[in-house]
Amino acid sequence: MSHADPAARSDSASSHSADASVALGYEPSAGRGDGRIWIPKGGSHRVAGLSDTRKARLLSAVLDLKSEPGARLVLLGLEVDGLGPAERTALRARVAFLPAGGGLLSNLNAWENIVLPLGFHTPGRLRGGAGEVSDLLGGLGADPHALLPKLPERMSAYEKKLAGYVRILLEGPELVLIEDLFGGLDAAERAAAAGFLPTYRARCPGGTFVQLEGSPEA
Amino acid sequence: MIGVYREFEGCMRLMGHVLRRLRVLALPPVTESLTRQIYFTGASATAGIVLRGALLGTLIIAYVIDVLDANSALAVKILLWVVLREIGPLIAAVLVIQRSGTAVVTELALMQISGEVTSLRRMRIDPRDYLVVPRVVGVALSTAALTFYVQVIAVGGGMLLSAITIDASLGQLANDFFLLASPVDFAYSMVKSLLFGVAIAVICCYHGLHPPGVSINAVTQSTLLVMLLNVIFAYLVFGQAFFGLVTAKI
């Protein structure tokens, strides 16, 4: 796993000509004083030391595909600013984000939360989704029968992350951003969460796995 | 004034989105959400709402019969004009606001504040598709269904009461009622209650998705007041506009 500290990476960041090999490149506007983030395609990376504000700015740029004036965003080898609406929609479908809390909806149980994006984007896959979800949960050490009927309020922090992660895996994104993967987990849960990367690697061999971690004082 | 205009514009935009995106109801998660909304608004609340509606309708009939010293023909007219056309839809609308409207606005405001609406966007799901479309359609259909229940029970209760209090048999009252009533009356009240349901749901969803950020209670209460005024206004406008078109044969 490589460690991509934004401040440390700023000097060694790739030039614009290397865009095709970039999974995520973000250059904030000059006045911001933030370091560049330049992550190559493939592999696993950790972006550490992000303040909440910088993290929010980065996520807003990547997930809404809207960079600030003067900023530059490269995603999966594409300059976002030059893309049309249809290309942006297609590009956005290749990126997934797992927030620290799992990003679950409180009125849906784990199963409903997991298959929600499938129901919208590829409803045809719902029919065979149950077995796939059970396999993924089982592979990550969870009991599907116990977890799937649970509402988020009855889930542990790890179970929420797990449900959110399985939801992401079902869509097979080329770039996965995970916020604070090990935050709020005990030792056993951390060990289980360490299995997230191999599972992603098995499903998306060429994909890029990025962990976003806040600064210690944040 | 600008705030009022913005709210009105926001509600209109939301309404436009619902009309444009009705096809999302075919998607499994939205269908499920629609089913839940209909169950919550139109089914689980039926007993309480219908009972209250029927009591109110019957009380109105009893009061009017007493004050006007009504005979059989007047009692039937009251049942038709007041209960079937006006009180039924209005009672159903007010009860839907009281129960489902506040629930919708609170639920959506909580989802907005807790970041669940953002989560939906990050899953590339338009929150209006998943949260607003099924609620608007579900509340509209449920309001129409509740109106029908209230009408049946209130008219039935009114006939029973009339048969007891005035010199007319239940059979005679029923016969007069069905002679006077036309399918247009039923269609009129159904269309009106559907519009009430749409108005209630759109306003609730709009306020739920745009909480002031101070207090959920404030959102709920202000939304309730706005919706109540809106429904009363809509009731007057539609009643006035259609009254000339829907006249009794007597």
Side-chain angles (χ1 to χ4, degrees), chain B residues 130-147:
Chain B
Y130 182 59
L131 300 176
V132 178
V133 174
R135 279 170 175 76
V136 170
V137 175
V139 169
L141 292 176
S142 301
T143 307
L146 288 172
T147 298

Side-chain angles (χ1 to χ4, degrees), chain A:
Chain A
M1 178 184 288
S2 71
H3 293 240
D5 185 297
R9 294 281 299 169
S10 59
D11 293 337
S12 60
S14 308
S15 68
H16 294 190
S17 60
D19 285 353
S21 65
V22 173
L24 167 61
Y26 181 63
E27 286 178 15
S29 52
R32 288 289 184 195
D34 295 348
R36 298 168 68 187
I37 295 173
W38 217 258
I39 297 170
K41 278 185 182 174
S44 166
H45 309 269
R46 189 165 66 90
V47 181
L50 287 172
S51 67
D52 287 347
T53 312
R54 289 179 66 190
K55 191 160 58 180
R57 211 151 42 220
L58 172 68
L59 288 173
S60 173
V62 173
L63 301 176
D64 299 335
L65 297 182
K66 283 181 191 166
S67 49
E68 298 170 332
R72 180 180 177 222
L73 177 64
V74 179
L75 213 50
L76 296 169
L78 298 169
E79 285 278 0
V80 171
D81 279 348
L83 300 177
E87 292 167 312
R88 283 171 187 258
T89 305
L91 176 61
R92 182 61 186 79
R94 297 159 65 193
V95 180
F97 170 64
L98 177 64
L104 306 180
L105 302 190
S106 58
N107 62 341
L108 301 181
N109 64 28
W111 163 254
E112 291 163 335
N113 265 297
I114 288 170
V115 298
L116 182 61
L118 275 192
F120 265 87
H121 306 311
T122 48
R125 284 183 60 202
L126 276 179
R127 197 162 291 170
E132 199 176 353
V133 169
S134 294
D135 291 346
L136 282 168
L137 288 173
L140 289 164
D143 176 8
H145 299 292
L147 177 61
L148 290 177
K150 278 188 186 177
L151 285 170
E153 64 184 11
R154 296 185 177 276
M155 292 182 204
S156 67
Y158 174 68
E159 287 175 327
K160 288 178 186 173
K161 282 181 197 284
L162 180 59
Y165 188 62
V166 169
R167 180 169 71 190
I168 284 175
L169 287 179
L170 288 177
E171 297 206 275
E174 293 171 45
L175 171 62
V176 172
L177 300 170
I178 298 193
E179 182 184 31
D180 206 8
L181 175 57
F182 298 108
L185 305 183
D186 61 29
E189 289 172 336
R190 281 169 177 262
F196 281 16
L197 174 60
T199 311
Y200 176 65
R201 190 60 61 229
R203 286 181 72 90
C204 309
T208 309
F209 187 94
V210 179
Q211 290 181 57
L212 303 173
E213 293 178 8
S215 54
E217 66 276 10

Side-chain angles (χ1 to χ4, degrees), chain B residues 3-16:
Chain B
V4 173
Y5 171 73
R6 281 186 180 160
E7 286 182 3
F8 178 74
E9 185 192 11
C11 288
M12 288 297 105
R13 283 177 186 275
L14 204 54
M15 186 65 232

